[in-house]
Amino acid sequence: MAAPAQRSVSGRSGEPEASSTAAYDAVVIGAGFSGLYALHRLRDTLGLSVRVFEEGGGVGGTWYWNRYPGARCDSESYVYCYSFSKELCQEWQWSGRYPEQHELSAYLEHVADRFELRRDIALNTRVTSARWCEDRAHWEVETDRGERVTAQYLLTGVGLLAAKRYVPRIEGLDSFEGEWHHTGRWPQEGVDLRGKRVGIIGTGSTGVQAIPVIARDAEHLHVFQRSPQFTIPARHELVDRAFLDDVKAHYDDIWRKTHWSAGGFPWEHNGLSALEVTSAERQATLERLWAEGGFKFVFGSYKDLLVDRRANDFVSEFIRSKIRERVNDPAVAEKLLPVDHPFSSRRPIVDTAYFETYNRDNVTLVDLRDNPIKEITPNGIRTEDGDVDLDVIVFATGFDAVTGPFFRIDIRGKDGLTLKEHWSEGPRSYLGLANTGFPNLFTIFGPGSTFPNAPVGIEHHVDWVADCIRHMRQHGADVVEAAPEAEDAWMDRLRGEADKTLVPLADSWLTGANIPGKRRQVLIFIGHFGQYRKLVDEVATNGYQGFAFASHRVATA
Ligand code: NA7
């Protein structure tokens, strides 16, 4: 395969050469789980020349940026990792059930070293624009460091969330005399919260992880809660060295199950409806899953939990009863009960001692539904009921998900059409992988793809793209584009799948409802991951239905 015309190599330091105009087979945006695997797969198995641009000062993507206190993965370590290398699976030792941020970051750094990826990654380099050049059938990519390169293929590995944090506009923030931080851009050197009066806004997955940890250090923690949440206990302690060693002995089987499962985990629902069993049976099942902890409570539970409101009500009420048990003060417990959305209509949350934290003397819950924030003052947060003096404000307020990371880049397809214009009525895609009018652009884990345990979904996408590129090269095609009717049909299907579930009932980043003014639309394919995988794979085996291939060389001959 083609070597780059004028190679611009950046090593560990990530220093790009100024004003380089190298030509690559592929450019990959982002060096998280997606970008690292894409580089390895395209370079080392297809022989392509590849350049990866990463905004962060290290590899890791989400796990580079999210360093807030308590940051850890809520998927089990042994499946929240790559499966492509048996050797890597056997070599790497996870310390426990859910890896903390630093462990995941170390894992991805190790992957970068082990597969010699660093030499093709430019760190501290943000892609600012990517334009499709129809005449030359390639992408022209520019970075904020003045690098200009071309590539036949452009792959985005920008992630669903971390690249575009959301800080709500609250009057007076600029006047605050203490420190404030968003959890998604936590300072590298950390923040010393010992003895400080801390306020945290947001009780999503991030807030739920951060609150118990911050409470241990802070003199006092005020939690500003807008919506109460359902959470499932993590139960780290149930996985030990012996279990993780046993996983290694059975990895092939575990991956086989995981790759075709509903959520990218090695388990399936129990085949039963929550409506067809007795209440004693249901209680026993839920108690057993509750004791096991983690996402199995969702994906290893009743088959109608996520699609039938009546089945869901049993489970939602079960969790509410647990919250009442976990919180000592009944008045506080009442404020913590989620009542405005069904369990799992938002992305489920896994917690460690979250609700018990409200039993501490140094933690105060501020219920923003009764007592909204009026403004931020130099000294803290002013609510309708009065002032809360603070040294530090933590925004655990989430991200402009799915579209936000793309809109930070000026991406232009055929005839100068911007991605923003193409997505003016909400993001579109074919299979979550491709867009009409944007030839040779592949969106790894992009809008309209599934949202399973992330590395599992990412590996599938990257493998699919690599196979597609191989197919093109074998058949003399150098341009691929999704047909408009295929994209339309996929969007219809996406809406149809979402409407079968309870997801549209909740305000969350999954529906775009977390950002004021953002169009409300289910942004991903809500459905069984294994079935999605089968469907997308069948598109390929049936000759890439819905895609049009062309040969630029023939067209311009
Ligand atoms: P989320 O899940 O979007 O949660 C954001 C939280 O911030 C949530 O509790 C919001 O309340 C709260 N929020 C947002 N804006 C405000 C304002 N203006 N006032 C008060 N509270 C506000 O983000 P996370 O970072 O926790 O998790 C994102 C994903 O990362 C997660 O799904 C996992 O996939 C990992 P709301 O509930 O909207 O009322």
Side-chain angles (χ1 to χ4, degrees), residues 161 168 201-206 226-227 346-347 368 396-399 509:
L161 294 152
I201 302 176
T203 53
S205 297
T206 300
R226 190 165 67 179
S227 306
R346 293 173 155 209
R347 195 269 198 187
L368 297 179
T397 41
F399 304 91
W509 67 261

Side-chain angles (χ1 to χ4, degrees), residues 163-349:
K164 185 77 193 293
R165 72 200 162 127
Y166 168 61
V167 179
R169 286 176 194 276
I170 302 177
E171 213 181 302
L173 178 57
D174 289 346
S175 73
F176 182 56
E177 288 173 357
E179 287 178 62
W180 70 265
H181 303 283
H182 186 279
T183 49
R185 286 289 185 281
W186 202 255
Q188 302 249 354
E189 64 281 10
V191 182
D192 187 0
L193 298 174
R194 284 172 300 181
K196 301 262 175 70
R197 298 163 303 171
V198 181
I200 184 167
I201 302 176
T203 53
S205 297
T206 300
V208 163
Q209 285 188 340
I211 286 163
V213 178
I214 294 176
R216 292 205 293 265
D217 277 349
E219 179 195 300
H220 200 98
L221 175 65
H222 279 82
V223 179
F224 295 85
Q225 171 195 264
R226 190 165 67 179
S227 306
Q229 302 279 6
F230 292 100
T231 77
I232 311 149
R235 309 222 188 276
H236 300 273
E237 67 284 359
L238 297 186
V239 163
D240 58 11
R241 186 79 273 132
F243 179 91
L244 292 168
D245 288 346
D246 191 56
V247 162
K248 291 191 177 182
H250 300 96
Y251 242 139
D252 286 349
D253 190 39
I254 288 170
W255 283 129
R256 202 166 30 251
K257 284 188 190 138
T258 301
H259 286 157
W260 296 99
S261 64
F265 299 101
W267 50 71
E268 282 293 346
H269 62 67
N270 61 15
L272 299 170
S273 159
L275 304 171
E276 71 187 12
V277 294
T278 66
S279 94
E281 283 169 332
R282 202 165 44 232
Q283 187 71 14
T285 298
L286 294 178
E287 289 287 4
R288 180 175 53 73
L289 290 166
W290 190 258
E292 285 187 44
F295 283 133
K296 196 169 181 187
F297 189 85
V298 184
F299 297 105
S301 178
Y302 292 104
K303 66 179 181 187
D304 44 3
L305 167 60
L306 304 178
V307 294
D308 188 310
R309 185 70 195 249
R310 293 163 308 154
N312 187 286
D313 282 346
F314 287 123
V315 183
S316 294
E317 194 44 43
F318 175 86
I319 301 177
R320 285 188 205 105
S321 73
K322 293 294 182 191
I323 296 172
R324 289 191 189 95
E325 283 172 20
R326 294 170 72 181
V327 179
N328 296 343
D329 181 337
V332 175
E334 207 56 34
K335 291 181 197 293
L336 289 164
L337 294 182
V339 287
D340 63 351
H341 64 281
F343 170 60
S344 264
S345 55
R346 293 173 155 209
R347 195 269 198 187
I349 299 177

Side-chain angles (χ1 to χ4, degrees), residues 387-466:
D387 287 357
V388 179
D389 287 346
L390 299 168
D391 302 307
V392 181
I393 300 175
V394 177
F395 286 92
T397 41
F399 304 91
D400 181 358
V402 185
T403 50
F406 285 92
F407 290 165
R408 298 177 72 226
I409 309 165
D410 181 15
I411 300 178
R412 291 171 192 253
K414 281 158 84 175
D415 303 321
L417 181 76
T418 66
L419 201 60
K420 249 188 186 162
E421 287 162 346
H422 187 54
W423 291 356
S424 60
E425 300 197 353
R428 302 176 60 74
S429 78
Y430 178 40
L431 309 176
L433 275 162
N435 270 260
T436 305
F438 295 80
N440 292 7
L441 169 68
F442 296 106
T443 52
I444 307 304
F445 229 37
S449 71
T450 47
F451 181 47
N453 174 30
V456 175
I458 285 167
E459 272 189 334
H460 169 245
H461 261 192
V462 171
D463 287 340
W464 192 96
V465 172

Side-chain angles (χ1 to χ4, degrees), residues 72-105:
R72 67 162 79 221
C73 183
D74 47 16
S75 293
E76 269 92 343
S77 55
Y78 62 93
V79 286
Y80 193 85
C81 55
Y82 293 118
S83 67
F84 70 85
S85 163
K86 285 190 183 192
E87 295 76 21
L88 177 64
C89 289
Q90 293 300 323
E91 286 161 16
W92 186 260
Q93 294 269 25
W94 293 109
S95 67
R97 186 168 182 177
Y98 306 96
E100 288 183 71
Q101 178 271 337
H102 64 84
E103 190 174 4
L104 271 162
S105 177

Side-chain angles (χ1 to χ4, degrees), residues 482-528:
E485 55 279 8
E487 194 178 80
D488 286 345
W490 185 252
M491 296 311 295
D492 287 345
R493 175 140 197 188
L494 201 126
R495 280 185 284 272
E497 294 291 333
D499 288 344
K500 288 183 207 159
T501 73
L502 304 175
V503 168
L505 301 183
D507 288 346
S508 78
W509 67 261
L510 290 170
T511 53
N514 66 324
I515 303 296
K518 189 165 175 172
R519 187 188 166 87
R520 195 184 176 104
Q521 171 190 342
V522 175
L523 298 168
I524 55 172
F525 183 91
I526 308 282
H528 190 284

